[in-house]
Amino acid sequence: MIEANAAGFPVLSLVTFLPLLGVAILMTLRGDDETTAQNARWTALWTSLIVFLMSLVLWTRFDLHEAGYQFRESADWLPAYGIGYRMGVDGISVLFVLLSTALTPVCILASWDSVRARVREYMAAFLLLETMMVGMFSASDFLLFYFFFEGVLIPMYLIIGIWGGPRRVYASLKFFLYTFAGSVLMLLSLLAMWHQAGSTDITTLLHTPFSPRMQFWLFLGFLAAFAVKVPMWPVHTWLPDAHVEAPTAGSVILAGVLLKMGAYGFLRFSVPMLPIAAQHFAPLMFALGVIAVIYTSLVALAQEDMKKLIAYSSVAHMGVVTIGIFTFNIQGIDGALFQMISHGVVSAALFLCVGVIYDRMHTREIARYGGLADRMPAYAFVFMLFTMASIGLPGTSGFVGEFLVLVGAFQVNLWLALLGSFGMVLGAAYMLYLYRRVIFGQLVRPDLKSILDLSPREMVIFAPLAILTIWLGIYPSSFTSFFGATVSAMVDQHAQALNLAHATTKLAGAVP
Amino acid sequence: MSWGLATPEIVLAISAMAILIGGVLQKRDSSLICTMAALGACAITAVLVIGTRSDVGFYGLFVSDAFSKFAKLLILLGTALCAILSLDYNQRQGIGRFEFPVLMLLSTVGMMVMASANNLMTLYMGLELQSLAIYVLAAFARDDIRSSEAGLKYFVLSALASGLLLYGISLTYGFSGSMDFIHIAQAVTNPASVSTGLIVGIAFVIAGLAFKLSAVPFHMWTPDVYEGAPTPVTAFMSTAPKVAPFVVLLRVMFGPFGHIAIQWQPIIIVVAIASMLLGSFAAIAQTNIKRLMAYSSIGHMGYALIGLAAGTQTGVRGVLVYLLTYVVMSAGVFACIVAMRRRGHAIENISDLGGLAKNDPTLAILMTIFMLSMGGIPPFAGFAGKFFVFEAAVDAGMWTLAIIGVLTSVVGLFYYLRVIKVMFFDPSEAPFDARSGSLSFVAMATGVFTLVFFFFPAPFLGAATTAAKALFG
């Protein structure tokens, strides 16, 4: 059932479940191995491109002044229990849906030549993953959200485990179990909230008051799930393993979309539904965020493996996002969202950059490279662009998010902002150090002398990401305008809830 | 008299004997026809169960209500699925004899009597009929030393458990003055003034039933018997004969002892926690898939017991949903295990599944669905079972139980994922022998059910709710 929908058709359900049609087509492919593989690549590419084009409807028809859910759809599921199939996007989620649909074709193109074994299954896993990601961002029912949140694990587990590196079994298992351990505790929070509100509709839950004591425990349940996903220090250790072992495209999706799920969860559930507990735990979150920023930046500085370095830098960047979310002011949350989008594009591109030379040399060890600028000028340029964006150079996407978060943090606490910005200095250090060791210097290794520059296919992959990075950097308001209304409504609501809580405690104090 | 109430049991018992006579009179091998006849008998019985009116009969010994109907249908479903599994396996193992379906049916009659028991004596009679048939089934491959051992082991330990149960029944009778559930409930109303003798009696009754459920600490027989028994018998033991003692436990705890829940809840909580812990941790080291499933079933009984421990109608509903999903996915897993044959030999090591994803993608995907479902990953059916029992625990404020439950399910997931890992990530072993159509049917049907259950759960949930309501009158 479609309610007043700006698109006129169930766009979210279509975007979510169309990739499954692609999976079905893939499963029917017959023929010898090489033909099947080639057909599978094209089928997956076309499916993901159609899905992406369809998701652009969200971009064009989204009402920028509406704070609540848009493109709503609903169908009966378990009406007697208040559980329903409800879809919708608001300012927080719409850009992530687009990010997911945009990165999937990129991933499929990036795996065009590098994946040779079981291509059909590989493409099916990626399309399944797209369904889960898009579904997760567009679910407006908690149980449905949980379905997709867990569902993401299955294709990702297979992608890392089947097409990953030498320690893929360990990495995939660790990835699955870490995330699952966190999310079962969230399930208990879900059950408790459902028990009290009688519904799993997110809008209903937003208007259900939970007692401060209950909020405390619910928040911890959510924290367990989302902290692992973000990932926050000290539960981030699955991430470097997963990144190192995953195939390039797996890392791209992991960094680009999956890491956003935790922060998205905070913004969707923890902050608006549990305002008192969120305020109560904010110092803890700041502390964990600052530790993530500084500690993992230092760890990144010492890495010998390119993917591991970028993985640690992701943890640091997500620390900035965490700080931004828990400032509870417009700049902070805007900055966090912007940083998430920017990181989604930039880290995805950086992993692709690593993939480019890994495909040629089959090693990710930094010391094995050097002087690539001679042989690969185009690559050096692209890598430079994304390195700068990762550092947060003004004019690139990274700058806007970090700047806004710092502005938000300044309003809360000077030290918070100071320590946060210290992480950015370190960020510049490890990224430039990486860049210098890989691109500059003398090209001495004989096997590098014949290395080839970017192929046309790789250019096609990088072009949209590069354009996005610049666009985000020089005209950010075309993106911030999407979440402006939702974020300001959220901040207002948060302040109101806190005032109400203060008034209640005062009242309780006044009347003995 | 109220013969009408027991029509399904009577019809099923008569069909079992008719099949036995038919089998004896046939000169040629008649296991196929007998199994088909048994399936037909199950189907007819299921129809009769649905048509039976809700009443108490046989001077209060026998009850038929929505709860017993739900349980009986579930038991018949489990029996039918396992009967189909046995067809192919018994043939290939050279144990295809017509007594097999007959014994299954007789055991099923016992289970249905248990589900309808309204008196401790009826309960005991049903339980013994069920068990006696299973002793023979476990030792059905009589030339196989492991199977004989399994039968004997199960017999000795189960006899002990029956003794415990009987002792508990006699204590209950002595301290409450009746064997009738309704009269006991009338006699035992005040939790504060329960005599110690009665509590000991309840503890023994729980112990006897927990043995059949293979709940910790009465689980010791499970891994050995599961491993030794012919695979379809193992499948059977992990489906219907788990349902029957469970529904009896529910009926006894909420019927005669319903007023003194506070006295037995701690026992159930401890048993549930111990089962979940053992089921998840002990399974990690297993290399034989049947032993793995034994520990898995111990764990699953622990989760289902959460619903009983909650002591509420929501809890009973949770248990019923759990049992439904468990029966279906268990049958599915065992269908996949029965399919594990190489060059005419049944194989049971987890490592034998290596590279299944390449050799037989369909089977590998089905097995993956079952494993993830057992681990409680949405959207598969197993998640629904866990969801509704954890809901009951949260509703009743039993946070310790709920938290231990979800955390052990993470540990449990580890070994389920390991099976998936072997199938998808490990190098390829030689392909399995071709599957028979009957196996593919069971695996497919249960796989589809497991996959779509939580998308259309309303009718099943409605039935479970009605059944739970009936139990609470």
Side-chain angles (χ1 to χ4, degrees), chain A residues 77-78 81 118 143 146-147 150 157 161-162 168-169 172-173 176-177 180-181 184 188 191 194-195, chain B residues 317 357 377-379 383 387 390-391 395 399 403 406 410 413-414 417 421 424-425 454-455 461 465:
Chain A
W77 188 2
L78 275 172
Y81 302 85
R118 293 152 102 176
L143 188 66
Y146 187 80
F147 266 47
E150 296 273 41
Y157 171 69
I162 301 180
R168 59 185 200 275
V169 173
S172 60
L173 211 55
F176 204 126
L177 290 179
F180 187 65
V184 289
L188 291 182
L191 287 168
W194 177 36
H195 178 51
Chain B
R317 183 189 67 198
I377 302 280
F383 173 71
F387 185 73
F390 287 140
E391 182 214 353
D395 279 5
W399 287 101
I403 290 174
V406 295
V410 178
L413 187 71
F414 170 73
L417 283 181
K421 171 228 145 197
F424 280 86
F425 309 165
F454 212 162
F455 296 106
L461 212 52
T465 312

Short mmCIF file of all heavy atoms in Angstrom, two decimals, chain A residues 77-78 81 118 143 146-147 150 157 161-162 168-169 172-173 176-177 180-181 184 188 191 194-195, chain B residues 317 357 377-379 383 387 390-391 395 399 403 406 410 413-414 417 421 424-425 454-455 461 465:
data_model
loop_
_atom_site.label_atom_id
_atom_site.label_comp_id
_atom_site.label_asym_id
_atom_site.label_seq_id
_atom_site.Cartn_x
_atom_site.Cartn_y
_atom_site.Cartn_z
N TRP A 77 1.68 -7.07 8.09
CA TRP A 77 2.57 -8.20 8.30
C TRP A 77 2.02 -8.98 9.48
O TRP A 77 1.46 -10.06 9.32
CB TRP A 77 3.99 -7.68 8.55
CG TRP A 77 5.04 -8.71 8.59
CD1 TRP A 77 4.89 -10.05 8.39
CD2 TRP A 77 6.43 -8.50 8.83
NE1 TRP A 77 6.11 -10.68 8.50
CE2 TRP A 77 7.06 -9.76 8.77
CE3 TRP A 77 7.22 -7.37 9.10
CZ2 TRP A 77 8.43 -9.92 8.97
CZ3 TRP A 77 8.57 -7.53 9.29
CH2 TRP A 77 9.18 -8.80 9.21
N LEU A 78 2.14 -8.40 10.64
CA LEU A 78 1.52 -8.99 11.83
C LEU A 78 0.76 -7.87 12.53
O LEU A 78 1.21 -7.37 13.56
CB LEU A 78 2.60 -9.55 12.76
CG LEU A 78 3.10 -10.95 12.47
CD1 LEU A 78 4.29 -11.28 13.35
CD2 LEU A 78 1.99 -11.97 12.67
N TYR A 81 0.21 -7.56 16.27
CA TYR A 81 1.35 -7.34 17.15
C TYR A 81 2.01 -6.00 16.89
O TYR A 81 3.08 -5.73 17.42
CB TYR A 81 2.37 -8.47 16.97
CG TYR A 81 1.79 -9.82 17.25
CD1 TYR A 81 1.11 -10.53 16.27
CD2 TYR A 81 1.92 -10.39 18.51
CE1 TYR A 81 0.56 -11.77 16.55
CE2 TYR A 81 1.37 -11.62 18.79
CZ TYR A 81 0.70 -12.32 17.80
OH TYR A 81 0.15 -13.53 18.08
N ARG A 118 33.99 -18.51 -9.75
CA ARG A 118 32.60 -18.48 -9.31
C ARG A 118 31.98 -17.09 -9.47
O ARG A 118 31.45 -16.50 -8.52
CB ARG A 118 32.51 -18.93 -7.87
CG ARG A 118 32.86 -20.40 -7.70
CD ARG A 118 33.42 -20.69 -6.36
NE ARG A 118 32.42 -21.31 -5.49
CZ ARG A 118 32.68 -21.74 -4.27
NH1 ARG A 118 33.91 -21.62 -3.78
NH2 ARG A 118 31.76 -22.28 -3.53
N LEU A 143 11.51 -3.96 13.38
CA LEU A 143 11.79 -5.37 13.13
C LEU A 143 12.30 -5.57 11.71
O LEU A 143 13.23 -6.35 11.47
CB LEU A 143 10.54 -6.21 13.38
CG LEU A 143 10.79 -7.71 13.32
CD1 LEU A 143 11.69 -8.16 14.46
CD2 LEU A 143 9.50 -8.49 13.39
N TYR A 146 15.77 -4.65 11.61
CA TYR A 146 16.61 -5.70 12.20
C TYR A 146 16.85 -6.83 11.18
O TYR A 146 17.95 -7.35 11.09
CB TYR A 146 15.95 -6.23 13.46
CG TYR A 146 16.81 -7.20 14.22
CD1 TYR A 146 17.83 -6.75 15.04
CD2 TYR A 146 16.64 -8.57 14.10
CE1 TYR A 146 18.65 -7.62 15.72
CE2 TYR A 146 17.45 -9.46 14.77
CZ TYR A 146 18.46 -8.99 15.58
OH TYR A 146 19.28 -9.86 16.24
N PHE A 147 15.81 -7.17 10.44
CA PHE A 147 15.95 -8.19 9.40
C PHE A 147 17.09 -7.84 8.45
O PHE A 147 17.96 -8.65 8.17
CB PHE A 147 14.65 -8.29 8.59
CG PHE A 147 13.70 -9.33 9.08
CD1 PHE A 147 13.41 -9.43 10.43
CD2 PHE A 147 13.10 -10.20 8.21
CE1 PHE A 147 12.54 -10.38 10.89
CE2 PHE A 147 12.23 -11.16 8.67
CZ PHE A 147 11.94 -11.25 10.00
N GLU A 150 20.71 -7.66 10.02
CA GLU A 150 21.37 -8.96 10.15
C GLU A 150 21.60 -9.58 8.78
O GLU A 150 22.60 -10.27 8.56
CB GLU A 150 20.49 -9.92 10.96
CG GLU A 150 20.27 -9.50 12.38
CD GLU A 150 21.35 -9.99 13.30
OE1 GLU A 150 22.52 -9.94 12.89
OE2 GLU A 150 21.03 -10.41 14.41
N TYR A 157 29.55 -12.20 4.62
CA TYR A 157 30.31 -13.35 5.14
C TYR A 157 30.80 -14.21 3.97
O TYR A 157 31.96 -14.62 3.94
CB TYR A 157 29.39 -14.16 6.06
CG TYR A 157 29.92 -15.49 6.52
CD1 TYR A 157 31.00 -15.56 7.41
CD2 TYR A 157 29.34 -16.68 6.10
CE1 TYR A 157 31.48 -16.77 7.85
CE2 TYR A 157 29.81 -17.90 6.54
CZ TYR A 157 30.89 -17.94 7.41
OH TYR A 157 31.36 -19.14 7.84
N GLY A 161 34.56 -14.74 2.80
CA GLY A 161 35.00 -16.12 3.00
C GLY A 161 35.36 -16.86 1.73
O GLY A 161 36.23 -17.71 1.73
N ILE A 162 34.66 -16.57 0.64
CA ILE A 162 34.93 -17.32 -0.60
C ILE A 162 35.99 -16.63 -1.45
O ILE A 162 36.90 -17.26 -1.96
CB ILE A 162 33.64 -17.50 -1.42
CG1 ILE A 162 32.60 -18.25 -0.61
CG2 ILE A 162 33.94 -18.27 -2.71
CD1 ILE A 162 31.30 -18.48 -1.33
N ARG A 168 41.04 -15.67 5.14
CA ARG A 168 39.66 -15.24 4.94
C ARG A 168 38.67 -15.91 5.89
O ARG A 168 37.70 -15.30 6.32
CB ARG A 168 39.25 -15.50 3.50
CG ARG A 168 39.35 -16.96 3.10
CD ARG A 168 39.05 -17.11 1.63
NE ARG A 168 38.68 -18.48 1.32
CZ ARG A 168 39.53 -19.44 1.07
NH1 ARG A 168 40.83 -19.17 1.11
NH2 ARG A 168 39.12 -20.66 0.79
N VAL A 169 38.95 -17.17 6.24
CA VAL A 169 38.01 -17.88 7.10
C VAL A 169 37.95 -17.22 8.47
O VAL A 169 36.88 -16.94 9.01
CB VAL A 169 38.43 -19.36 7.24
CG1 VAL A 169 37.58 -20.05 8.26
CG2 VAL A 169 38.32 -20.05 5.90
N SER A 172 36.28 -13.71 8.12
CA SER A 172 34.84 -13.69 7.88
C SER A 172 34.08 -14.13 9.12
O SER A 172 33.03 -13.57 9.47
CB SER A 172 34.51 -14.59 6.70
OG SER A 172 34.91 -15.91 6.96
N LEU A 173 34.63 -15.11 9.82
CA LEU A 173 33.97 -15.59 11.04
C LEU A 173 33.97 -14.50 12.10
O LEU A 173 32.96 -14.27 12.78
CB LEU A 173 34.72 -16.82 11.54
CG LEU A 173 33.91 -17.86 12.27
CD1 LEU A 173 32.74 -18.30 11.41
CD2 LEU A 173 34.78 -19.07 12.59
N PHE A 176 31.42 -11.86 11.26
CA PHE A 176 30.03 -12.28 11.51
C PHE A 176 29.74 -12.32 13.00
O PHE A 176 28.73 -11.77 13.48
CB PHE A 176 29.80 -13.67 10.88
CG PHE A 176 28.36 -13.96 10.57
CD1 PHE A 176 27.97 -14.34 9.30
CD2 PHE A 176 27.39 -13.87 11.55
CE1 PHE A 176 26.65 -14.62 8.99
CE2 PHE A 176 26.06 -14.15 11.26
CZ PHE A 176 25.69 -14.51 9.99
N LEU A 177 30.62 -12.95 13.76
CA LEU A 177 30.31 -13.16 15.18
C LEU A 177 30.34 -11.86 15.97
O LEU A 177 29.50 -11.64 16.84
CB LEU A 177 31.28 -14.18 15.78
CG LEU A 177 31.07 -15.61 15.26
CD1 LEU A 177 32.07 -16.56 15.87
CD2 LEU A 177 29.66 -16.09 15.56
N PHE A 180 27.17 -10.07 15.12
CA PHE A 180 25.99 -10.77 15.62
C PHE A 180 25.89 -10.63 17.14
O PHE A 180 24.80 -10.41 17.67
CB PHE A 180 26.07 -12.24 15.21
CG PHE A 180 24.84 -13.03 15.53
CD1 PHE A 180 23.64 -12.74 14.91
CD2 PHE A 180 24.87 -14.05 16.46
CE1 PHE A 180 22.49 -13.46 15.21
CE2 PHE A 180 23.72 -14.78 16.76
CZ PHE A 180 22.54 -14.48 16.14
N ALA A 181 27.03 -10.72 17.83
CA ALA A 181 27.00 -10.60 19.29
C ALA A 181 26.43 -9.25 19.69
O ALA A 181 25.64 -9.14 20.63
CB ALA A 181 28.41 -10.77 19.85
N VAL A 184 22.44 -9.08 18.78
CA VAL A 184 21.45 -9.81 19.60
C VAL A 184 21.10 -9.00 20.85
O VAL A 184 19.97 -9.09 21.34
CB VAL A 184 21.91 -11.23 19.99
CG1 VAL A 184 21.90 -12.14 18.81
CG2 VAL A 184 23.24 -11.23 20.68
N LEU A 188 17.28 -7.53 22.19
CA LEU A 188 16.61 -7.46 23.50
C LEU A 188 16.03 -6.06 23.72
O LEU A 188 14.92 -5.91 24.24
CB LEU A 188 17.59 -7.82 24.62
CG LEU A 188 18.03 -9.28 24.65
CD1 LEU A 188 18.94 -9.53 25.83
CD2 LEU A 188 16.83 -10.21 24.73
N LEU A 191 12.91 -5.87 21.75
CA LEU A 191 11.79 -6.57 22.39
C LEU A 191 11.22 -5.74 23.53
O LEU A 191 10.00 -5.64 23.69
CB LEU A 191 12.26 -7.93 22.90
CG LEU A 191 12.52 -8.99 21.83
CD1 LEU A 191 13.24 -10.18 22.41
CD2 LEU A 191 11.21 -9.43 21.21
N TRP A 194 9.30 -2.85 22.09
CA TRP A 194 8.07 -3.36 21.48
C TRP A 194 7.06 -3.67 22.57
O TRP A 194 5.87 -3.35 22.45
CB TRP A 194 8.42 -4.61 20.68
CG TRP A 194 7.28 -5.31 20.03
CD1 TRP A 194 6.18 -4.73 19.48
CD2 TRP A 194 7.12 -6.72 19.87
NE1 TRP A 194 5.36 -5.69 18.97
CE2 TRP A 194 5.90 -6.92 19.20
CE3 TRP A 194 7.89 -7.83 20.21
CZ2 TRP A 194 5.44 -8.21 18.88
CZ3 TRP A 194 7.44 -9.08 19.89
CH2 TRP A 194 6.22 -9.27 19.23
N HIS A 195 7.55 -4.27 23.64
CA HIS A 195 6.67 -4.63 24.75
C HIS A 195 5.99 -3.39 25.32
O HIS A 195 4.80 -3.40 25.61
CB HIS A 195 7.53 -5.31 25.82
CG HIS A 195 6.76 -5.71 27.03
ND1 HIS A 195 5.59 -6.43 26.97
CD2 HIS A 195 6.99 -5.48 28.34
CE1 HIS A 195 5.14 -6.63 28.19
NE2 HIS A 195 5.96 -6.06 29.03
N ARG B 317 2.97 -19.60 23.96
CA ARG B 317 2.90 -19.32 22.53
C ARG B 317 4.30 -19.37 21.91
O ARG B 317 4.52 -19.95 20.84
CB ARG B 317 2.28 -17.95 22.28
CG ARG B 317 2.13 -17.65 20.81
CD ARG B 317 1.71 -16.23 20.59
NE ARG B 317 2.76 -15.31 20.97
CZ ARG B 317 2.57 -14.02 21.20
NH1 ARG B 317 1.37 -13.51 21.10
NH2 ARG B 317 3.57 -13.24 21.53
N ALA B 357 29.26 -26.58 -2.08
CA ALA B 357 28.69 -25.46 -2.83
C ALA B 357 29.00 -25.59 -4.32
O ALA B 357 28.26 -25.09 -5.15
CB ALA B 357 29.24 -24.15 -2.29
N ILE B 377 19.29 -16.50 12.74
CA ILE B 377 19.52 -15.31 11.91
C ILE B 377 18.23 -14.99 11.16
O ILE B 377 17.65 -15.87 10.53
CB ILE B 377 20.62 -15.59 10.88
CG1 ILE B 377 21.91 -15.99 11.55
CG2 ILE B 377 20.84 -14.39 9.98
CD1 ILE B 377 22.69 -14.87 12.10
N PRO B 378 17.74 -13.76 11.25
CA PRO B 378 16.57 -13.43 10.43
C PRO B 378 16.97 -13.44 8.96
O PRO B 378 18.15 -13.22 8.67
CB PRO B 378 16.21 -12.02 10.90
CG PRO B 378 17.46 -11.45 11.47
CD PRO B 378 18.25 -12.62 11.99
N PRO B 379 16.07 -13.64 8.06
CA PRO B 379 14.62 -13.79 8.24
C PRO B 379 14.19 -15.23 8.33
O PRO B 379 13.02 -15.50 8.11
CB PRO B 379 14.09 -13.17 6.94
CG PRO B 379 15.12 -13.56 5.93
CD PRO B 379 16.44 -13.63 6.64
N PHE B 383 14.66 -17.82 13.58
CA PHE B 383 14.64 -16.52 14.25
C PHE B 383 13.28 -16.27 14.88
O PHE B 383 13.18 -15.71 15.97
CB PHE B 383 14.98 -15.41 13.25
CG PHE B 383 14.82 -14.03 13.82
CD1 PHE B 383 15.69 -13.55 14.76
CD2 PHE B 383 13.77 -13.22 13.41
CE1 PHE B 383 15.54 -12.29 15.30
CE2 PHE B 383 13.60 -11.96 13.93
CZ PHE B 383 14.49 -11.49 14.87
N PHE B 387 12.69 -15.30 18.60
CA PHE B 387 12.07 -13.98 18.81
C PHE B 387 10.91 -14.09 19.80
O PHE B 387 10.81 -13.31 20.73
CB PHE B 387 11.57 -13.47 17.45
CG PHE B 387 10.99 -12.09 17.47
CD1 PHE B 387 11.82 -10.99 17.59
CD2 PHE B 387 9.64 -11.89 17.35
CE1 PHE B 387 11.30 -9.72 17.59
CE2 PHE B 387 9.10 -10.62 17.35
CZ PHE B 387 9.94 -9.53 17.48
N PHE B 390 12.12 -15.17 23.42
CA PHE B 390 12.80 -14.06 24.09
C PHE B 390 11.80 -12.96 24.44
O PHE B 390 11.93 -12.30 25.47
CB PHE B 390 13.93 -13.51 23.22
CG PHE B 390 15.12 -14.41 23.14
CD1 PHE B 390 15.80 -14.60 21.96
CD2 PHE B 390 15.56 -15.09 24.26
CE1 PHE B 390 16.89 -15.45 21.87
CE2 PHE B 390 16.66 -15.93 24.20
CZ PHE B 390 17.32 -16.12 23.01
N GLU B 391 10.82 -12.80 23.59
CA GLU B 391 9.78 -11.81 23.90
C GLU B 391 9.13 -12.17 25.23
O GLU B 391 8.93 -11.30 26.09
CB GLU B 391 8.71 -11.80 22.80
CG GLU B 391 7.63 -10.77 23.04
CD GLU B 391 6.26 -11.22 22.54
OE1 GLU B 391 6.17 -12.27 21.89
OE2 GLU B 391 5.28 -10.52 22.84
N ASP B 395 9.04 -9.92 28.49
CA ASP B 395 7.75 -9.55 29.08
C ASP B 395 7.71 -9.90 30.56
O ASP B 395 7.17 -9.16 31.37
CB ASP B 395 6.62 -10.31 28.38
CG ASP B 395 6.22 -9.65 27.09
OD1 ASP B 395 6.90 -8.69 26.73
OD2 ASP B 395 5.24 -10.09 26.47
N TRP B 399 15.51 -10.99 32.66
CA TRP B 399 16.60 -10.46 31.84
C TRP B 399 17.80 -11.38 31.82
O TRP B 399 18.46 -11.51 30.80
CB TRP B 399 16.98 -9.07 32.34
CG TRP B 399 15.95 -8.09 31.96
CD1 TRP B 399 14.96 -7.59 32.76
CD2 TRP B 399 15.72 -7.54 30.67
NE1 TRP B 399 14.15 -6.75 32.03
CE2 TRP B 399 14.60 -6.70 30.76
CE3 TRP B 399 16.37 -7.68 29.44
CZ2 TRP B 399 14.11 -5.99 29.67
CZ3 TRP B 399 15.88 -6.97 28.35
CH2 TRP B 399 14.76 -6.14 28.48
N ILE B 403 19.43 -12.59 28.44
CA ILE B 403 20.79 -12.20 28.04
C ILE B 403 21.65 -13.44 27.83
O ILE B 403 22.38 -13.55 26.82
CB ILE B 403 21.41 -11.24 29.09
CG1 ILE B 403 20.68 -9.90 29.01
CG2 ILE B 403 22.89 -11.05 28.84
CD1 ILE B 403 21.07 -8.91 30.07
N VAL B 406 20.63 -14.94 24.44
CA VAL B 406 21.14 -14.35 23.20
C VAL B 406 22.65 -14.55 23.07
O VAL B 406 23.16 -14.77 21.98
CB VAL B 406 20.78 -12.84 23.05
CG1 VAL B 406 19.29 -12.67 22.92
CG2 VAL B 406 21.33 -12.03 24.18
N VAL B 410 25.03 -16.67 20.12
CA VAL B 410 26.21 -16.23 19.35
C VAL B 410 27.23 -17.37 19.29
O VAL B 410 27.80 -17.66 18.23
CB VAL B 410 26.84 -14.98 19.99
CG1 VAL B 410 28.08 -14.58 19.22
CG2 VAL B 410 25.85 -13.85 20.03
N LEU B 413 26.02 -19.94 17.00
CA LEU B 413 26.17 -19.57 15.60
C LEU B 413 27.55 -19.94 15.07
O LEU B 413 27.71 -20.26 13.90
CB LEU B 413 25.94 -18.07 15.45
CG LEU B 413 25.91 -17.61 14.00
CD1 LEU B 413 24.66 -18.09 13.35
CD2 LEU B 413 26.01 -16.12 13.90
N PHE B 414 28.53 -19.92 15.97
CA PHE B 414 29.90 -20.23 15.55
C PHE B 414 29.96 -21.59 14.86
O PHE B 414 30.53 -21.72 13.78
CB PHE B 414 30.83 -20.18 16.76
CG PHE B 414 32.20 -20.71 16.48
CD1 PHE B 414 33.08 -19.98 15.72
CD2 PHE B 414 32.59 -21.96 16.93
CE1 PHE B 414 34.34 -20.46 15.43
CE2 PHE B 414 33.84 -22.46 16.64
CZ PHE B 414 34.72 -21.70 15.89
N LEU B 417 28.07 -21.68 11.57
CA LEU B 417 28.83 -21.01 10.51
C LEU B 417 29.97 -21.89 10.03
O LEU B 417 30.35 -21.84 8.86
CB LEU B 417 29.41 -19.69 11.03
CG LEU B 417 28.45 -18.52 11.14
CD1 LEU B 417 29.19 -17.30 11.64
CD2 LEU B 417 27.82 -18.20 9.80
N LYS B 421 31.03 -22.72 6.39
CA LYS B 421 32.41 -22.51 5.95
C LYS B 421 32.92 -23.74 5.21
O LYS B 421 33.51 -23.62 4.14
CB LYS B 421 33.27 -22.20 7.18
CG LYS B 421 34.75 -22.17 6.91
CD LYS B 421 35.51 -22.99 7.94
CE LYS B 421 36.68 -23.65 7.31
NZ LYS B 421 37.25 -24.74 8.07
N PHE B 424 31.29 -23.92 1.73
CA PHE B 424 31.55 -22.87 0.76
C PHE B 424 33.03 -22.54 0.59
O PHE B 424 33.45 -22.19 -0.49
CB PHE B 424 30.79 -21.59 1.14
CG PHE B 424 29.35 -21.63 0.75
CD1 PHE B 424 28.41 -22.19 1.59
CD2 PHE B 424 28.93 -21.13 -0.47
CE1 PHE B 424 27.08 -22.24 1.23
CE2 PHE B 424 27.61 -21.17 -0.84
CZ PHE B 424 26.68 -21.73 0.01
N PHE B 425 33.80 -22.60 1.69
CA PHE B 425 35.17 -22.09 1.60
C PHE B 425 36.20 -23.19 1.41
O PHE B 425 37.30 -22.93 0.98
CB PHE B 425 35.55 -21.28 2.86
CG PHE B 425 34.57 -20.22 3.25
CD1 PHE B 425 34.63 -19.64 4.52
CD2 PHE B 425 33.59 -19.76 2.39
CE1 PHE B 425 33.73 -18.67 4.90
CE2 PHE B 425 32.69 -18.78 2.77
CZ PHE B 425 32.76 -18.24 4.03
N PHE B 454 8.71 -16.46 8.34
CA PHE B 454 8.52 -15.19 9.05
C PHE B 454 7.94 -14.10 8.16
O PHE B 454 7.63 -13.02 8.63
CB PHE B 454 9.83 -14.72 9.69
CG PHE B 454 9.60 -13.97 10.98
CD1 PHE B 454 10.64 -13.79 11.88
CD2 PHE B 454 8.36 -13.45 11.32
CE1 PHE B 454 10.44 -13.11 13.08
CE2 PHE B 454 8.15 -12.77 12.51
CZ PHE B 454 9.19 -12.60 13.38
N PHE B 455 7.76 -14.40 6.89
CA PHE B 455 7.09 -13.38 6.08
C PHE B 455 5.58 -13.53 6.14
O PHE B 455 4.85 -12.56 5.97
CB PHE B 455 7.58 -13.47 4.63
CG PHE B 455 9.04 -13.16 4.50
CD1 PHE B 455 9.97 -14.15 4.27
CD2 PHE B 455 9.49 -11.85 4.66
CE1 PHE B 455 11.32 -13.86 4.19
CE2 PHE B 455 10.84 -11.57 4.57
CZ PHE B 455 11.75 -12.57 4.34
N LEU B 461 0.95 -18.21 13.90
CA LEU B 461 0.96 -17.49 15.17
C LEU B 461 -0.43 -17.48 15.79
O LEU B 461 -0.59 -17.63 17.00
CB LEU B 461 1.44 -16.06 14.91
CG LEU B 461 2.23 -15.39 16.00
CD1 LEU B 461 3.37 -16.27 16.43
CD2 LEU B 461 2.75 -14.06 15.51
N THR B 465 -1.40 -19.01 19.33
CA THR B 465 -2.06 -18.19 20.35
C THR B 465 -3.30 -18.89 20.87
O THR B 465 -3.54 -18.95 22.08
CB THR B 465 -2.42 -16.82 19.76
OG1 THR B 465 -1.28 -16.30 19.09
CG2 THR B 465 -2.86 -15.87 20.84
#
